Amino acid sequence: MDDALERIAASTEVLHAERRIVRFQEVDAAGIVFYARVFDYFHDVYVAFLRARGAPLEAALREGTWVAPLRRAEAEYLRPLRFGEEIAVAIVAVELEETEYAVDYRIDVDGEPACVGRSRHVAVDPERFRRTPIPDVLRRALEGGAGRGAPTPGES
Amino acid sequence: MDDALERIAASTEVLHAERRIVRFQEVDAAGIVFYARVFDYFHDVYVAFLRARGAPLEAALREGTWVAPLRRAEAEYLRPLRFGEEIAVAIVAVELEETEYAVDYRIDVDGEPACVGRSRHVAVDPERFRRTPIPDVLRRALEGGAGRGAPTPGES
Amino acid sequence: MDDALERIAASTEVLHAERRIVRFQEVDAAGIVFYARVFDYFHDVYVAFLRARGAPLEAALREGTWVAPLRRAEAEYLRPLRFGEEIAVAIVAVELEETEYAVDYRIDVDGEPACVGRSRHVAVDPERFRRTPIPDVLRRALEGGAGRGAPTPGES
Amino acid sequence: MDDALERIAASTEVLHAERRIVRFQEVDAAGIVFYARVFDYFHDVYVAFLRARGAPLEAALREGTWVAPLRRAEAEYLRPLRFGEEIAVAIVAVELEETEYAVDYRIDVDGEPACVGRSRHVAVDPERFRRTPIPDVLRRALEGGAGRGAPTPGES
């Protein structure tokens, strides 16, 4: 595991978390969750996080205010997940730059990390799809979760 | 099995067909293809059929010429499908009315029907989403495949 | 809409229900929920229902006690669903026979039906995959939800 | 882009490749392919590659000969993919160690890289799920594709 993912596994901070139960159809022919599905889990908690922070993605798309497609995604698998298991999917950190940001995720089972990951997004102009500074409404939402100070307790 | 699906299972006509191999991730925790995935198979061959008939859905969406969402879908499962099996997914009939049409599907394994189904679509105005006569470009494409005369040989 | 689905749309009984928000990735290139995804919704509430009734599918699979694959599935679409919409997915009826059972589903948005459907399952021997009477543990769970008497209040 | 992914984007070697057309339902609410779906594409070509090399995953699972779950996955997105686009998904390199291996992927559109990625797998004992040397049948299949000598011409 590289250093960044090591940090995510060890992080005690949680900016947003959701409990879910592994679905019947998320398992593959080997009997464990198909590896790509954890990226669906990551994205679901990212969407819920934005909604909780007052910058819902559905509104941004409808109104054409911002769009921030992925430039990079990665995950490290620490143990397999099985149908019916209860998991907690959390955002543990957000890192903001001028035109990009990274979101760190962790999936826990019984309080132990089962998977960690990171997505890196680029803010682009919704019309020309060119790189642009992160719009204020999005920056504020992400920053609200990226405070250096007291850990934010928010879970849902 | 109701009469309509019985006819689909017994049909010798094939308007369009595609071979595919059941994917690793289409299987569920019971070890067979998840039942909803056959509707993905149906839609894939429907999209390929429209493309082959000169009325690609991607162009219709891009240009806003027509849209025909589903009003109804059904499938009957005759035998389970497993990871790695080669299947043939076919459109065996199209039935046109003024504002609606139905498409009949069959999935064969080794020449035996494993699943049959039907989708029923309504032509709607792309802007107001109100029922409208099937646009000419779409009607011609579907009719090309719905001729009562000589059977169209299967394509792959 | 055929009579059975008409009844489902009008039903006031709810045996089990779950609230969920339409996911970003459940939408298709036409901008509405891909038609096959409602069958995923149906199955999710079916799995939750079995769990709530004390006959979890995950335990049945693990222990090889019972398996009841689908023989038939159908859905009728009354209005499109969009990313970010909150929906209620409910089981409104279960119908038991000797070796088969049917489950009726309804998806509501703001208290109005957006989709109705039905799945028909066959109990089969886990080893030989041959039709068998519905096992007691499964029958009791399904019957608990199929009572003719007082309506069971919806759970979430 | 980190160095490894930079190399994948620039690689002229192709060990195995498949053409496919982006599906209607692989697109998300933002109108481009959902980021997690490229991992489905990667896995599909990996499965096809193993099949072509004489070590089909479906046989390994059926016979319990080997299993090699993912330890890590990553992707870098260079341009969005849209419904109806024809893409080529290729395996461009395989790297073998004692108990692990990495597979490098590239998705091209019109001969230009649109996405690159890597999966890292660990050979485990099918029964106890403990790390084990890569079994011979799997090593031979992967090595056949990892030759340092003459470049293997792409297959489709």
Side-chain angles (χ1 to χ4, degrees):
Chain A
M1 193 157 32
D2 71 26
D3 288 357
L5 296 177
E6 197 91 57
R7 263 200 310 279
I8 298 171
S11 169
T12 55
E13 196 170 12
V14 168
L15 303 181
H16 195 81
E18 292 195 316
R19 300 215 150 259
R20 59 191 301 160
I21 297 178
V22 172
R23 297 161 88 191
F24 180 68
Q25 64 271 45
E26 287 167 346
V27 160
D28 60 30
I32 58 176
V33 166
F34 183 58
Y35 86 113
R37 296 301 163 260
V38 304
F39 293 103
D40 286 80
Y41 296 166
F42 290 167
H43 201 271
D44 288 347
V45 75
Y46 166 70
V47 164
F49 170 69
L50 287 173
R51 207 176 275 138
R53 299 276 165 180
L57 183 49
E58 55 270 33
L61 290 171
R62 208 168 38 230
E63 296 154 19
T65 33
W66 58 267
V67 53
L70 275 93
R71 183 165 87 64
R72 187 176 162 75
E74 62 196 302
E76 188 105 14
Y77 304 87
L78 308 176
R79 51 147 284 191
L81 301 172
R82 293 176 198 282
F83 167 46
E85 277 191 317
E86 190 181 321
I87 62 178
V89 187
I91 292 183
V92 301
V94 174
E95 232 179 80
L96 288 153
E97 293 168 34
E98 174 67 13
T99 60
E100 292 195 18
Y101 58 95
V103 183
D104 293 345
Y105 308 90
R106 193 178 63 231
I107 300 174
D108 284 347
V109 180
D110 295 330
E112 291 295 315
C115 183
V116 293
R118 165 171 281 202
S119 63
R120 178 166 282 279
H121 303 250
V122 185
V124 298
D125 184 293
E127 265 155 54
R128 298 173 314 151
F129 236 70
R130 295 256 184 84
R131 188 182 281 258
T132 184
I134 300 172
D136 281 351
V137 58
L138 178 56
R139 179 171 290 277
R140 272 194 305 271
L142 296 169
E143 262 175 353
R148 282 288 125 83
T152 313
E155 288 154 81
S156 88
Chain B
M1 194 156 33
D2 71 27
D3 289 356
L5 296 177
E6 197 91 55
R7 264 200 311 279
I8 298 172
S11 168
T12 56
E13 197 171 11
V14 168
L15 303 181
H16 195 81
E18 292 195 315
R19 299 215 152 260
R20 58 192 301 158
I21 297 178
V22 171
R23 297 160 89 190
F24 181 68
Q25 64 271 44
E26 287 167 344
V27 160
D28 60 30
I32 59 176
V33 166
F34 183 58
Y35 85 113
R37 296 300 163 260
V38 305
F39 293 103
D40 286 80
Y41 296 167
F42 291 166
H43 202 271
D44 288 347
V45 76
Y46 166 71
V47 164
F49 170 70
L50 287 175
R51 207 176 274 139
R53 301 274 165 180
L57 183 51
E58 55 270 34
L61 290 171
R62 207 166 41 228
E63 297 155 19
T65 34
W66 58 267
V67 55
L70 275 94
R71 183 165 87 64
R72 187 176 162 76
E74 61 196 301
E76 188 105 14
Y77 304 87
L78 308 176
R79 50 149 286 190
L81 301 172
R82 293 176 198 283
F83 167 46
E85 278 192 316
E86 190 180 321
I87 62 177
V89 187
I91 291 183
V92 301
V94 174
E95 232 179 79
L96 288 154
E97 292 167 34
E98 174 67 14
T99 59
E100 292 196 17
Y101 58 95
V103 184
D104 291 345
Y105 309 90
R106 194 179 63 231
I107 301 175
D108 284 346
V109 180
D110 295 331
E112 292 296 316
C115 184
V116 292
R118 166 171 281 201
S119 62
R120 178 167 282 279
H121 303 250
V122 184
V124 298
D125 185 292
E127 265 154 55
R128 298 172 313 151
F129 236 70
R130 294 256 184 86
R131 187 183 281 259
T132 184
I134 301 172
D136 282 351
V137 58
L138 178 56
R139 180 171 289 275
R140 272 194 305 273
L142 296 169
E143 262 175 354
R148 280 289 124 81
T152 312
E155 305 153 62
S156 87
Chain C
M1 194 156 32
D2 71 25
D3 288 357
L5 296 176
E6 197 91 56
R7 264 199 310 279
I8 298 171
S11 170
T12 55
E13 197 171 11
V14 168
L15 303 180
H16 195 81
E18 291 194 316
R19 300 214 150 260
R20 58 191 301 158
I21 297 178
V22 171
R23 297 160 89 191
F24 181 68
Q25 63 272 45
E26 287 167 345
V27 160
D28 60 31
I32 57 176
V33 166
F34 183 58
Y35 85 113
R37 296 302 163 258
V38 304
F39 293 103
D40 286 79
Y41 296 166
F42 291 166
H43 202 271
D44 287 347
V45 75
Y46 166 71
V47 164
F49 170 70
L50 288 173
R51 207 176 276 137
R53 300 275 165 181
L57 183 50
E58 56 270 33
L61 290 171
R62 206 167 41 230
E63 294 154 21
T65 34
W66 59 267
V67 55
L70 275 93
R71 183 166 87 64
R72 186 175 164 76
E74 61 195 303
E76 188 106 13
Y77 305 87
L78 309 176
R79 49 147 286 188
L81 301 173
R82 295 177 196 282
F83 166 47
E85 277 191 317
E86 190 180 321
I87 62 178
V89 187
I91 292 184
V92 300
V94 174
E95 231 179 80
L96 287 154
E97 293 168 33
E98 174 68 13
T99 60
E100 292 195 18
Y101 58 95
V103 183
D104 292 344
Y105 308 90
R106 192 178 64 232
I107 301 175
D108 285 345
V109 180
D110 294 332
E112 292 295 316
C115 183
V116 292
R118 167 172 280 202
S119 62
R120 178 166 283 279
H121 303 250
V122 184
V124 298
D125 185 292
E127 264 154 56
R128 299 173 312 151
F129 235 70
R130 294 258 185 86
R131 187 182 281 259
T132 185
I134 300 172
D136 282 351
V137 58
L138 178 56
R139 178 171 290 275
R140 271 194 305 271
L142 296 169
E143 262 175 353
R148 280 290 125 82
T152 313
E155 306 152 62
S156 86
Chain D
M1 193 158 31
D2 72 24
D3 288 356
L5 296 177
E6 196 92 56
R7 264 199 310 278
I8 297 171
S11 169
T12 56
E13 198 170 11
V14 169
L15 303 180
H16 195 82
E18 292 195 316
R19 300 214 149 261
R20 60 190 300 158
I21 297 179
V22 171
R23 296 162 88 191
F24 180 68
Q25 64 271 46
E26 286 167 347
V27 160
D28 59 31
I32 58 176
V33 166
F34 183 58
Y35 86 113
R37 297 302 164 258
V38 306
F39 293 103
D40 286 79
Y41 296 167
F42 291 166
H43 202 270
D44 287 347
V45 75
Y46 167 70
V47 164
F49 171 70
L50 287 174
R51 208 175 274 137
R53 301 275 166 179
L57 182 50
E58 55 270 33
L61 290 171
R62 207 167 39 229
E63 295 154 19
T65 33
W66 59 267
V67 55
L70 275 93
R71 184 165 87 64
R72 187 176 162 75
E74 61 196 303
E76 188 107 13
Y77 305 87
L78 309 176
R79 50 147 285 189
L81 301 173
R82 293 176 198 282
F83 167 45
E85 278 192 316
E86 191 181 319
I87 62 177
V89 187
I91 292 184
V92 301
V94 174
E95 234 180 77
L96 289 153
E97 293 168 33
E98 176 66 13
T99 60
E100 292 195 18
Y101 58 94
V103 183
D104 292 345
Y105 309 89
R106 194 179 62 232
I107 301 175
D108 285 347
V109 180
D110 295 331
E112 292 295 316
C115 183
V116 293
R118 166 172 280 202
S119 62
R120 178 166 283 279
H121 303 250
V122 184
V124 298
D125 185 292
E127 265 155 55
R128 298 173 312 151
F129 236 70
R130 294 256 186 87
R131 188 181 280 259
T132 184
I134 299 172
D136 282 351
V137 58
L138 178 56
R139 179 171 290 276
R140 273 194 304 273
L142 296 169
E143 262 175 354
R148 279 289 125 82
T152 311
E155 307 152 60
S156 87

